[in-house]
Amino acid sequence: MTDDTTPAPHGFLWGAATAAHQIEGGNVNTGHWELEYAPGSAIPEPSGDACDSYHRYPEDIALLADAGLTAYRFSVEWARIEPEEGVVSRAQLDHYRRMIDACRDRDVEPVVTLHHFTFPRWWEHSGGWYSDRSTDRFRRFTEICTRILDDVNWVITINEPNMMVNQTEARIDTENGVNFPGPSPHVARAIAGAHHASTEVLRGFGGVKSGWSVANQVFQAVPGWEAQRDEWQYWREDFFLEQAREDDFIGVQSYLRTIIGPTDDAQGFGPQPWPEGTERTLTGWEYYPEALGHALRHTREVTGGIPMMVTENGMATSDDRRRIDYTAGALTAMQDAMDDGCDVRGYLHWSLLDNYEWGSFRPTFGLVVVDRETFVRTPKPSLSWLGDLARRNVVPRR
Ligand code: IFM
């Protein structure tokens, strides 16, 4: 452990993040599950029991708290809470309330995501984001969730709306990086409408701080291609950052950069391949921890400077030493951005557990190994490393 550190602001949140479908297991009522198990499915591996965190969440929260972390970001599952349209499961709401209580019992700040990629089957079969009822449906779901959110301070309405727009048209390719088909402005506006309806509900409800979390792609331009970069990035990122200007905070999620320049296709510009020899992670992404600093600065610029929380950042690797290097680099970049005036309230690592990476368990992002047969959890050195920073409330310095 280096002593070359800088104190973080008082009350800075240090934590880790997960999402329901990626860890709970048995999430059978989602459209994603339906796709995973459809005959001839294009999804290579189904989620199955995932990490069985639906039952083992007390152990997961205890692991995080024992390591010294002070915040846990998790999502509630719409398909469980509203299994059929208009039908509310009190039992499932109670389940998520128990998760909040388990956090509070361990002095862990719960950061609750209302929607993280998965939908109930009924939603998928009745128009999804193309239904003219999508905003009302999400508003109603938010109202249902408020029944268990009374002492929750941080709520993320929708995770990575910008990636969801892409996924509405195509799937994430977990082996080779993220696909970038043309995003649909119609879907983007529908999701933004749902977000605004949701924050309106949450604003009228106690002291909760609400916002959404955007996947920041750190779009950089080949010199001379800045205008094309800006065009490329608008519907893939900036539109979504603009929507946050009136929010209490924004979640910044950063992993890598994307360089925009000339291509041979009809559009004539787009993401450039990474040069031969570039270090790649298990998701095929470039190893580029500096991305977090760029992401924070860009988010501040577009939102006008609302408070930010790093709600995801991490690296898929089987080499935990490299995960620590990556995270130290990202935290250093975060500190540089904070020194330049970025208002960052916390750092939540992706992810607490090795989990289901949307089609495969192979890309391991976790601070904790989960045995796929027995569900036994084994903390990695990176968990105690991050927990030590949290206990001392310090950020590594260059
Ligand atoms: O696993 C995902 C998560 O669901 C959303 N953000 C990116 C992560 C890594 O791909």
Side-chain angles (χ1 to χ4, degrees):
M1 161 56 55
T2 173
D3 275 317
D4 202 5
T5 55
T6 304
H10 178 71
F12 190 82
L13 293 179
W14 290 94
T18 60
H21 191 75
Q22 294 177 264
I23 61 163
E24 285 184 346
N27 203 10
V28 300
N29 196 33
T30 56
H32 204 279
W33 179 282
E34 203 174 9
L35 285 178
E36 289 165 24
Y37 289 91
S41 174
I43 299 177
E45 200 179 355
S47 54
D49 285 328
C51 305
D52 191 32
S53 203
Y54 185 81
H55 300 106
R56 293 166 199 257
Y57 70 85
E59 188 183 342
D60 296 337
I61 293 166
L63 275 170
L64 175 147
D66 288 345
L69 298 178
T70 56
Y72 183 41
R73 175 187 173 210
F74 62 91
S75 70
V76 299
E77 181 55 68
W78 191 355
R80 295 190 198 268
I81 293 174
E82 194 178 356
E84 297 293 341
E85 182 161 18
V87 175
V88 178
S89 168
R90 187 71 237 178
Q92 297 292 350
L93 277 173
D94 286 351
H95 167 82
Y96 290 111
R97 181 61 233 181
R98 285 193 292 273
M99 286 188 72
I100 295 166
D101 291 340
C103 289
R104 288 270 170 249
D105 287 349
R106 294 304 311 261
D107 286 331
V108 167
E109 187 71 36
V111 178
V112 179
T113 309
L114 300 185
H115 183 269
H116 193 121
F117 287 167
T118 43
F119 294 93
R121 291 188 190 211
W122 60 259
W123 160 282
E124 302 278 17
H125 293 295
S126 58
W129 290 117
Y130 291 97
S131 165
D132 57 11
R133 297 173 60 203
S134 63
T135 296
D136 287 342
R137 286 168 166 167
F138 196 65
R139 180 189 291 111
R140 182 184 59 207
F141 176 57
T142 307
E143 284 165 355
I144 294 168
C145 290
T146 58
R147 298 183 200 175
I148 57 162
L149 296 176
D150 33 295
D151 58 348
V152 172
N153 296 317
W154 302 91
V155 173
I156 295 167
T157 60
I158 298 175
N159 178 73
E160 295 187 354
N162 51 334
M163 301 316 288
M164 195 157 47
V165 172
N166 290 318
Q167 285 164 43
T168 307
E169 310 296 323
R171 299 269 143 210
I172 286 182
D173 176 345
T174 53
E175 297 297 316
N176 300 305
V178 177
N179 281 330
F180 284 103
S184 153
H186 171 83
V187 176
R189 289 195 184 96
I191 299 178
H195 168 66
H196 294 311
S198 181
T199 54
E200 197 177 285
V201 171
L202 293 165
R203 257 198 295 276
F205 175 78
V208 84
K209 293 185 190 51
S210 60
W212 65 1
S213 56
V214 175
N216 198 299
Q217 303 299 303
V218 182
F219 290 111
Q220 298 177 352
V222 169
W225 291 79
E226 286 76 11
Q228 290 86 349
R229 185 270 316 274
D230 292 351
E231 183 183 333
W232 185 268
Q233 116 173 321
Y234 186 71
W235 286 108
R236 290 172 175 86
E237 183 168 312
D238 286 359
F239 169 81
F240 300 90
L241 299 179
E242 286 174 3
Q243 303 305 310
R245 285 177 178 157
E246 306 299 318
D247 290 349
D248 300 319
F249 77 103
I250 183 165
V252 175
Q253 315 207 146
S254 164
Y255 294 88
L256 71 164
R257 67 176 159 178
T258 305
I259 299 173
I260 302 300
T263 55
D264 289 337
D265 59 8
Q267 192 167 9
F269 61 92
Q272 304 295 287
W274 285 299
E276 203 62 41
T278 299
E279 180 178 351
R280 309 267 286 263
T281 72
L282 288 176
T283 38
W285 302 343
E286 179 189 20
Y287 177 94
Y288 188 64
E290 300 85 344
L292 182 56
H294 296 290
L296 291 164
R297 290 168 205 271
H298 182 68
T299 300
R300 177 180 59 168
E301 190 182 309
V302 181
T303 61
I306 64 169
M308 296 181 273
M309 188 186 296
V310 179
T311 41
E312 285 185 25
N313 172 253
M315 173 190 186
T317 178
S318 53
D319 177 354
D320 197 52
R321 188 59 244 172
R322 207 64 190 128
R323 184 185 331 283
I324 293 174
D325 292 344
Y326 178 92
T327 310
L331 288 170
T332 301
M334 177 186 83
Q335 182 61 51
D336 287 348
M338 290 167 77
D339 289 345
D340 288 346
C342 285
D343 177 2
V344 183
R345 306 294 174 94
Y347 174 87
L348 311 182
H349 191 81
W350 184 269
S351 178
L352 178 63
L353 307 174
D354 285 345
N355 63 37
Y356 182 63
E357 179 59 16
W358 306 109
S360 170
F361 284 93
R362 202 177 73 87
T364 42
F365 279 95
L367 300 170
V368 174
V369 179
V370 179
D371 185 291
R372 302 272 316 110
E373 297 298 319
T374 62
F375 307 115
V376 166
R377 274 80 166 130
T378 309
K380 303 180 190 177
S382 51
L383 178 65
S384 48
W385 175 83
L386 192 62
D388 181 64
L389 294 177
R391 284 186 207 281
R392 298 191 293 144
N393 197 31
V394 294
V395 182
R397 209 170 38 196
R398 205 181 299 281

Short mmCIF file of all heavy atoms in Angstrom, two decimals, residues 180-233:
data_model
loop_
_atom_site.label_atom_id
_atom_site.label_comp_id
_atom_site.label_asym_id
_atom_site.label_seq_id
_atom_site.Cartn_x
_atom_site.Cartn_y
_atom_site.Cartn_z
N PHE A 180 -21.84 -0.31 -31.65
CA PHE A 180 -22.42 1.01 -31.79
C PHE A 180 -23.29 1.11 -33.04
O PHE A 180 -22.87 1.65 -34.05
CB PHE A 180 -21.33 2.09 -31.86
CG PHE A 180 -20.73 2.37 -30.52
CD1 PHE A 180 -19.49 1.87 -30.20
CD2 PHE A 180 -21.41 3.13 -29.60
CE1 PHE A 180 -18.93 2.12 -28.97
CE2 PHE A 180 -20.85 3.39 -28.36
CZ PHE A 180 -19.60 2.88 -28.04
N PRO A 181 -24.48 0.53 -32.98
CA PRO A 181 -25.39 0.78 -34.09
C PRO A 181 -25.93 2.20 -33.95
O PRO A 181 -25.69 2.85 -32.93
CB PRO A 181 -26.50 -0.24 -33.85
CG PRO A 181 -26.51 -0.42 -32.37
CD PRO A 181 -25.10 -0.22 -31.90
N GLY A 182 -26.65 2.70 -34.92
CA GLY A 182 -27.19 4.05 -34.81
C GLY A 182 -28.22 4.11 -33.70
O GLY A 182 -29.18 3.35 -33.71
N PRO A 183 -28.04 4.96 -32.70
CA PRO A 183 -29.03 5.05 -31.63
C PRO A 183 -30.30 5.74 -32.13
O PRO A 183 -30.25 6.56 -33.03
CB PRO A 183 -28.32 5.88 -30.57
CG PRO A 183 -27.25 6.62 -31.27
CD PRO A 183 -26.92 5.87 -32.53
N SER A 184 -31.41 5.42 -31.51
CA SER A 184 -32.69 5.98 -31.93
C SER A 184 -33.05 7.18 -31.07
O SER A 184 -33.29 7.04 -29.87
CB SER A 184 -33.76 4.90 -31.79
OG SER A 184 -35.02 5.50 -31.59
N PRO A 185 -33.13 8.39 -31.65
CA PRO A 185 -33.55 9.56 -30.87
C PRO A 185 -34.93 9.36 -30.26
O PRO A 185 -35.21 9.83 -29.16
CB PRO A 185 -33.56 10.70 -31.90
CG PRO A 185 -32.59 10.26 -32.95
CD PRO A 185 -32.72 8.76 -33.02
N HIS A 186 -35.79 8.60 -30.95
CA HIS A 186 -37.14 8.36 -30.42
C HIS A 186 -37.05 7.63 -29.08
O HIS A 186 -37.68 8.03 -28.09
CB HIS A 186 -37.97 7.55 -31.42
CG HIS A 186 -39.27 7.09 -30.85
ND1 HIS A 186 -40.39 7.91 -30.82
CD2 HIS A 186 -39.63 5.93 -30.23
CE1 HIS A 186 -41.37 7.25 -30.23
NE2 HIS A 186 -40.94 6.05 -29.85
N VAL A 187 -36.25 6.56 -29.05
CA VAL A 187 -36.11 5.79 -27.81
C VAL A 187 -35.41 6.65 -26.76
O VAL A 187 -35.78 6.64 -25.58
CB VAL A 187 -35.36 4.47 -28.06
CG1 VAL A 187 -35.13 3.71 -26.76
CG2 VAL A 187 -36.13 3.59 -29.03
N ALA A 188 -34.41 7.40 -27.17
CA ALA A 188 -33.68 8.26 -26.22
C ALA A 188 -34.66 9.23 -25.54
O ALA A 188 -34.62 9.41 -24.31
CB ALA A 188 -32.59 9.04 -26.94
N ARG A 189 -35.55 9.82 -26.33
CA ARG A 189 -36.50 10.78 -25.75
C ARG A 189 -37.50 10.06 -24.84
O ARG A 189 -37.91 10.59 -23.81
CB ARG A 189 -37.24 11.52 -26.86
CG ARG A 189 -36.34 12.50 -27.59
CD ARG A 189 -37.14 13.50 -28.42
NE ARG A 189 -36.22 14.35 -29.16
CZ ARG A 189 -35.84 14.15 -30.42
NH1 ARG A 189 -36.33 13.13 -31.12
NH2 ARG A 189 -34.99 14.97 -31.00
N ALA A 190 -37.88 8.86 -25.22
CA ALA A 190 -38.83 8.10 -24.38
C ALA A 190 -38.18 7.80 -23.03
O ALA A 190 -38.81 7.95 -21.97
CB ALA A 190 -39.23 6.80 -25.08
N ILE A 191 -36.93 7.40 -23.05
CA ILE A 191 -36.25 7.06 -21.78
C ILE A 191 -36.06 8.33 -20.95
O ILE A 191 -36.25 8.32 -19.73
CB ILE A 191 -34.90 6.37 -22.06
CG1 ILE A 191 -35.12 5.05 -22.83
CG2 ILE A 191 -34.15 6.09 -20.77
CD1 ILE A 191 -33.86 4.30 -23.21
N ALA A 192 -35.73 9.42 -21.62
CA ALA A 192 -35.58 10.69 -20.88
C ALA A 192 -36.90 11.09 -20.23
O ALA A 192 -36.94 11.55 -19.09
CB ALA A 192 -35.08 11.78 -21.82
N GLY A 193 -38.00 10.88 -20.95
CA GLY A 193 -39.33 11.21 -20.40
C GLY A 193 -39.59 10.40 -19.14
O GLY A 193 -40.10 10.92 -18.13
N ALA A 194 -39.23 9.13 -19.18
CA ALA A 194 -39.44 8.25 -18.01
C ALA A 194 -38.58 8.72 -16.84
O ALA A 194 -39.03 8.75 -15.69
CB ALA A 194 -39.11 6.81 -18.39
N HIS A 195 -37.35 9.09 -17.15
CA HIS A 195 -36.46 9.58 -16.09
C HIS A 195 -37.03 10.84 -15.43
O HIS A 195 -37.07 10.93 -14.19
CB HIS A 195 -35.08 9.86 -16.68
CG HIS A 195 -34.18 10.62 -15.78
ND1 HIS A 195 -33.70 10.11 -14.59
CD2 HIS A 195 -33.66 11.89 -15.86
CE1 HIS A 195 -32.93 11.01 -13.99
NE2 HIS A 195 -32.90 12.10 -14.73
N HIS A 196 -37.47 11.78 -16.24
CA HIS A 196 -38.00 13.02 -15.66
C HIS A 196 -39.25 12.75 -14.82
O HIS A 196 -39.44 13.35 -13.76
CB HIS A 196 -38.27 14.05 -16.76
CG HIS A 196 -37.02 14.51 -17.45
ND1 HIS A 196 -35.89 14.93 -16.76
CD2 HIS A 196 -36.69 14.60 -18.76
CE1 HIS A 196 -34.93 15.25 -17.62
NE2 HIS A 196 -35.39 15.06 -18.84
N ALA A 197 -40.09 11.84 -15.30
CA ALA A 197 -41.30 11.50 -14.52
C ALA A 197 -40.89 10.89 -13.19
O ALA A 197 -41.48 11.17 -12.14
CB ALA A 197 -42.16 10.53 -15.32
N SER A 198 -39.86 10.06 -13.22
CA SER A 198 -39.40 9.38 -12.02
C SER A 198 -38.79 10.36 -11.02
O SER A 198 -39.10 10.32 -9.81
CB SER A 198 -38.38 8.31 -12.44
OG SER A 198 -37.92 7.58 -11.34
N THR A 199 -37.95 11.27 -11.51
CA THR A 199 -37.34 12.23 -10.57
C THR A 199 -38.40 13.17 -9.99
O THR A 199 -38.28 13.62 -8.85
CB THR A 199 -36.21 13.07 -11.23
OG1 THR A 199 -36.71 13.69 -12.39
CG2 THR A 199 -35.00 12.23 -11.57
N GLU A 200 -39.44 13.43 -10.77
CA GLU A 200 -40.53 14.28 -10.26
C GLU A 200 -41.19 13.59 -9.05
O GLU A 200 -41.44 14.23 -8.03
CB GLU A 200 -41.56 14.45 -11.38
CG GLU A 200 -42.53 15.58 -11.19
CD GLU A 200 -43.42 15.66 -12.41
OE1 GLU A 200 -42.97 16.12 -13.47
OE2 GLU A 200 -44.58 15.19 -12.31
N VAL A 201 -41.42 12.29 -9.17
CA VAL A 201 -41.99 11.54 -8.05
C VAL A 201 -41.04 11.58 -6.85
O VAL A 201 -41.42 11.87 -5.72
CB VAL A 201 -42.25 10.06 -8.45
CG1 VAL A 201 -42.64 9.22 -7.24
CG2 VAL A 201 -43.31 9.98 -9.54
N LEU A 202 -39.76 11.35 -7.13
CA LEU A 202 -38.79 11.24 -6.04
C LEU A 202 -38.55 12.58 -5.36
O LEU A 202 -38.31 12.65 -4.16
CB LEU A 202 -37.47 10.65 -6.57
CG LEU A 202 -37.58 9.19 -7.03
CD1 LEU A 202 -36.37 8.80 -7.87
CD2 LEU A 202 -37.73 8.26 -5.83
N ARG A 203 -38.65 13.67 -6.14
CA ARG A 203 -38.45 15.00 -5.56
C ARG A 203 -39.55 15.32 -4.54
O ARG A 203 -39.31 16.01 -3.56
CB ARG A 203 -38.44 16.07 -6.65
CG ARG A 203 -37.04 16.55 -6.96
CD ARG A 203 -37.05 17.87 -7.70
NE ARG A 203 -37.67 17.74 -9.01
CZ ARG A 203 -37.02 17.33 -10.09
NH1 ARG A 203 -35.74 17.06 -10.03
NH2 ARG A 203 -37.64 17.21 -11.24
N GLY A 204 -40.74 14.79 -4.81
CA GLY A 204 -41.84 15.06 -3.88
C GLY A 204 -41.81 14.12 -2.69
O GLY A 204 -42.77 14.03 -1.93
N PHE A 205 -40.75 13.39 -2.55
CA PHE A 205 -40.71 12.31 -1.56
C PHE A 205 -39.49 12.44 -0.68
O PHE A 205 -38.38 12.08 -1.07
CB PHE A 205 -40.70 10.98 -2.32
CG PHE A 205 -40.54 9.77 -1.44
CD1 PHE A 205 -41.62 9.29 -0.72
CD2 PHE A 205 -39.32 9.14 -1.32
CE1 PHE A 205 -41.47 8.20 0.10
CE2 PHE A 205 -39.16 8.05 -0.49
CZ PHE A 205 -40.25 7.58 0.22
N GLY A 206 -39.64 12.99 0.51
CA GLY A 206 -38.56 13.02 1.50
C GLY A 206 -37.28 13.66 1.00
O GLY A 206 -37.28 14.50 0.10
N GLY A 207 -36.18 13.21 1.56
CA GLY A 207 -34.91 13.88 1.29
C GLY A 207 -34.05 13.16 0.26
O GLY A 207 -32.84 13.37 0.20
N VAL A 208 -34.66 12.29 -0.54
CA VAL A 208 -33.87 11.50 -1.46
C VAL A 208 -33.20 12.37 -2.53
O VAL A 208 -33.78 13.36 -2.98
CB VAL A 208 -34.79 10.42 -2.10
CG1 VAL A 208 -35.57 10.95 -3.27
CG2 VAL A 208 -34.03 9.21 -2.49
N LYS A 209 -31.97 12.03 -2.87
CA LYS A 209 -31.29 12.68 -4.00
C LYS A 209 -31.43 11.75 -5.19
O LYS A 209 -31.08 10.57 -5.11
CB LYS A 209 -29.81 12.89 -3.71
CG LYS A 209 -29.53 13.88 -2.60
CD LYS A 209 -28.02 14.08 -2.50
CE LYS A 209 -27.62 14.87 -1.26
NZ LYS A 209 -28.18 14.36 -0.01
N SER A 210 -31.94 12.28 -6.30
CA SER A 210 -32.16 11.39 -7.44
C SER A 210 -31.42 11.88 -8.68
O SER A 210 -31.16 13.06 -8.86
CB SER A 210 -33.66 11.28 -7.74
OG SER A 210 -34.21 12.53 -8.04
N GLY A 211 -31.07 10.90 -9.50
CA GLY A 211 -30.39 11.19 -10.76
C GLY A 211 -30.31 9.91 -11.56
O GLY A 211 -30.87 8.89 -11.14
N TRP A 212 -29.65 9.95 -12.69
CA TRP A 212 -29.43 8.69 -13.41
C TRP A 212 -27.95 8.52 -13.66
O TRP A 212 -27.15 9.44 -13.37
CB TRP A 212 -30.28 8.57 -14.65
CG TRP A 212 -30.09 9.50 -15.81
CD1 TRP A 212 -29.20 10.51 -15.94
CD2 TRP A 212 -30.87 9.46 -17.02
NE1 TRP A 212 -29.36 11.12 -17.16
CE2 TRP A 212 -30.37 10.48 -17.85
CE3 TRP A 212 -31.90 8.67 -17.50
CZ2 TRP A 212 -30.90 10.73 -19.12
CZ3 TRP A 212 -32.41 8.92 -18.77
CH2 TRP A 212 -31.91 9.94 -19.55
N SER A 213 -27.56 7.33 -14.13
CA SER A 213 -26.13 7.05 -14.29
C SER A 213 -25.87 6.80 -15.78
O SER A 213 -26.53 5.97 -16.40
CB SER A 213 -25.72 5.85 -13.44
OG SER A 213 -26.49 4.72 -13.75
N VAL A 214 -24.92 7.56 -16.31
CA VAL A 214 -24.66 7.53 -17.76
C VAL A 214 -23.32 6.85 -18.01
O VAL A 214 -22.33 7.10 -17.31
CB VAL A 214 -24.69 8.97 -18.31
CG1 VAL A 214 -24.30 9.00 -19.78
CG2 VAL A 214 -26.08 9.58 -18.13
N ALA A 215 -23.29 5.98 -19.02
CA ALA A 215 -22.03 5.33 -19.42
C ALA A 215 -21.22 6.34 -20.21
O ALA A 215 -21.60 6.74 -21.32
CB ALA A 215 -22.32 4.11 -20.29
N ASN A 216 -20.13 6.77 -19.62
CA ASN A 216 -19.32 7.80 -20.26
C ASN A 216 -18.27 7.14 -21.13
O ASN A 216 -17.41 6.41 -20.64
CB ASN A 216 -18.67 8.67 -19.17
CG ASN A 216 -18.21 9.97 -19.74
OD1 ASN A 216 -17.37 9.99 -20.62
ND2 ASN A 216 -18.77 11.06 -19.25
N GLN A 217 -18.33 7.40 -22.42
CA GLN A 217 -17.47 6.69 -23.37
C GLN A 217 -16.13 7.36 -23.64
O GLN A 217 -15.29 6.81 -24.34
CB GLN A 217 -18.20 6.54 -24.70
CG GLN A 217 -19.52 5.84 -24.60
CD GLN A 217 -19.39 4.43 -24.07
OE1 GLN A 217 -18.67 3.64 -24.65
NE2 GLN A 217 -20.05 4.14 -22.97
N VAL A 218 -15.93 8.58 -23.10
CA VAL A 218 -14.70 9.33 -23.35
C VAL A 218 -14.36 9.31 -24.85
O VAL A 218 -13.39 8.70 -25.29
CB VAL A 218 -13.53 8.82 -22.48
CG1 VAL A 218 -12.26 9.63 -22.70
CG2 VAL A 218 -13.91 8.86 -21.00
N PHE A 219 -15.22 9.97 -25.60
CA PHE A 219 -15.00 10.04 -27.04
C PHE A 219 -13.86 11.02 -27.33
O PHE A 219 -13.91 12.17 -26.92
CB PHE A 219 -16.28 10.52 -27.74
CG PHE A 219 -17.38 9.49 -27.71
CD1 PHE A 219 -18.52 9.70 -26.94
CD2 PHE A 219 -17.27 8.31 -28.43
CE1 PHE A 219 -19.53 8.75 -26.91
CE2 PHE A 219 -18.28 7.36 -28.40
CZ PHE A 219 -19.41 7.58 -27.65
N GLN A 220 -12.85 10.54 -27.98
CA GLN A 220 -11.72 11.39 -28.38
C GLN A 220 -11.65 11.39 -29.91
O GLN A 220 -12.08 10.42 -30.55
CB GLN A 220 -10.42 10.87 -27.78
CG GLN A 220 -10.44 10.89 -26.25
CD GLN A 220 -9.18 10.31 -25.61
OE1 GLN A 220 -8.32 9.75 -26.28
NE2 GLN A 220 -9.08 10.44 -24.29
N ALA A 221 -11.12 12.47 -30.48
CA ALA A 221 -11.11 12.59 -31.94
C ALA A 221 -9.70 12.39 -32.49
O ALA A 221 -8.72 12.87 -31.91
CB ALA A 221 -11.62 13.96 -32.36
N VAL A 222 -9.62 11.67 -33.60
CA VAL A 222 -8.39 11.72 -34.40
C VAL A 222 -8.25 13.20 -34.80
O VAL A 222 -9.25 13.84 -35.15
CB VAL A 222 -8.55 10.81 -35.64
CG1 VAL A 222 -7.44 11.03 -36.64
CG2 VAL A 222 -8.65 9.36 -35.22
N PRO A 223 -7.04 13.81 -34.70
CA PRO A 223 -6.92 15.24 -35.02
C PRO A 223 -7.59 15.56 -36.36
O PRO A 223 -7.38 14.87 -37.36
CB PRO A 223 -5.41 15.45 -35.07
CG PRO A 223 -4.86 14.41 -34.13
CD PRO A 223 -5.76 13.21 -34.28
N GLY A 224 -8.43 16.60 -36.34
CA GLY A 224 -9.14 17.00 -37.56
C GLY A 224 -10.55 16.40 -37.65
O GLY A 224 -11.33 16.78 -38.51
N TRP A 225 -10.89 15.48 -36.75
CA TRP A 225 -12.19 14.80 -36.81
C TRP A 225 -13.07 15.18 -35.61
O TRP A 225 -13.98 14.45 -35.24
CB TRP A 225 -11.98 13.28 -36.88
CG TRP A 225 -11.38 12.89 -38.20
CD1 TRP A 225 -10.08 13.00 -38.58
CD2 TRP A 225 -12.09 12.42 -39.36
NE1 TRP A 225 -9.91 12.61 -39.88
CE2 TRP A 225 -11.13 12.23 -40.38
CE3 TRP A 225 -13.43 12.11 -39.62
CZ2 TRP A 225 -11.49 11.77 -41.66
CZ3 TRP A 225 -13.77 11.64 -40.87
CH2 TRP A 225 -12.81 11.48 -41.88
N GLU A 226 -12.82 16.38 -35.07
CA GLU A 226 -13.56 16.79 -33.86
C GLU A 226 -15.06 16.98 -34.15
O GLU A 226 -15.91 16.61 -33.33
CB GLU A 226 -12.98 18.10 -33.29
CG GLU A 226 -11.64 17.94 -32.59
CD GLU A 226 -10.45 17.79 -33.56
OE1 GLU A 226 -10.64 18.00 -34.78
OE2 GLU A 226 -9.35 17.46 -33.08
N ALA A 227 -15.39 17.54 -35.31
CA ALA A 227 -16.81 17.78 -35.61
C ALA A 227 -17.55 16.45 -35.72
O ALA A 227 -18.66 16.29 -35.20
CB ALA A 227 -16.95 18.56 -36.92
N GLN A 228 -16.91 15.48 -36.37
CA GLN A 228 -17.54 14.15 -36.49
C GLN A 228 -17.65 13.49 -35.11
O GLN A 228 -18.63 12.81 -34.81
CB GLN A 228 -16.72 13.26 -37.43
CG GLN A 228 -16.78 13.68 -38.89
CD GLN A 228 -15.76 14.75 -39.25
OE1 GLN A 228 -15.12 15.35 -38.38
NE2 GLN A 228 -15.62 15.02 -40.53
N ARG A 229 -16.62 13.68 -34.29
CA ARG A 229 -16.68 13.13 -32.92
C ARG A 229 -17.90 13.70 -32.19
O ARG A 229 -18.66 12.97 -31.56
CB ARG A 229 -15.38 13.46 -32.18
CG ARG A 229 -15.23 12.88 -30.78
CD ARG A 229 -15.75 13.77 -29.65
NE ARG A 229 -15.38 15.16 -29.78
CZ ARG A 229 -14.24 15.69 -29.34
NH1 ARG A 229 -13.35 14.93 -28.74
NH2 ARG A 229 -14.02 17.00 -29.49
N ASP A 230 -18.08 15.03 -32.32
CA ASP A 230 -19.20 15.66 -31.61
C ASP A 230 -20.54 15.11 -32.12
O ASP A 230 -21.46 14.87 -31.33
CB ASP A 230 -19.16 17.17 -31.79
CG ASP A 230 -17.95 17.78 -31.08
OD1 ASP A 230 -17.28 17.04 -30.31
OD2 ASP A 230 -17.68 18.98 -31.29
N GLU A 231 -20.62 14.93 -33.44
CA GLU A 231 -21.86 14.37 -34.01
C GLU A 231 -22.07 12.95 -33.49
O GLU A 231 -23.18 12.58 -33.07
CB GLU A 231 -21.76 14.36 -35.54
CG GLU A 231 -23.03 13.88 -36.20
CD GLU A 231 -22.87 13.80 -37.73
OE1 GLU A 231 -22.07 14.56 -38.31
OE2 GLU A 231 -23.57 12.96 -38.32
N TRP A 232 -21.04 12.17 -33.48
CA TRP A 232 -21.12 10.76 -33.03
C TRP A 232 -21.59 10.69 -31.58
O TRP A 232 -22.38 9.85 -31.19
CB TRP A 232 -19.74 10.10 -33.18
CG TRP A 232 -19.76 8.64 -32.87
CD1 TRP A 232 -19.50 8.06 -31.66
CD2 TRP A 232 -20.07 7.58 -33.78
NE1 TRP A 232 -19.62 6.69 -31.76
CE2 TRP A 232 -19.96 6.37 -33.05
CE3 TRP A 232 -20.40 7.53 -35.14
CZ2 TRP A 232 -20.19 5.13 -33.63
CZ3 TRP A 232 -20.63 6.28 -35.70
CH2 TRP A 232 -20.52 5.11 -34.96
N GLN A 233 -21.07 11.63 -30.79
CA GLN A 233 -21.27 11.50 -29.35
C GLN A 233 -22.63 12.03 -28.89
O GLN A 233 -23.09 11.67 -27.81
CB GLN A 233 -20.07 12.13 -28.66
CG GLN A 233 -20.24 13.32 -27.81
CD GLN A 233 -18.92 13.67 -27.10
OE1 GLN A 233 -18.17 12.80 -26.66
NE2 GLN A 233 -18.66 14.94 -26.98
#
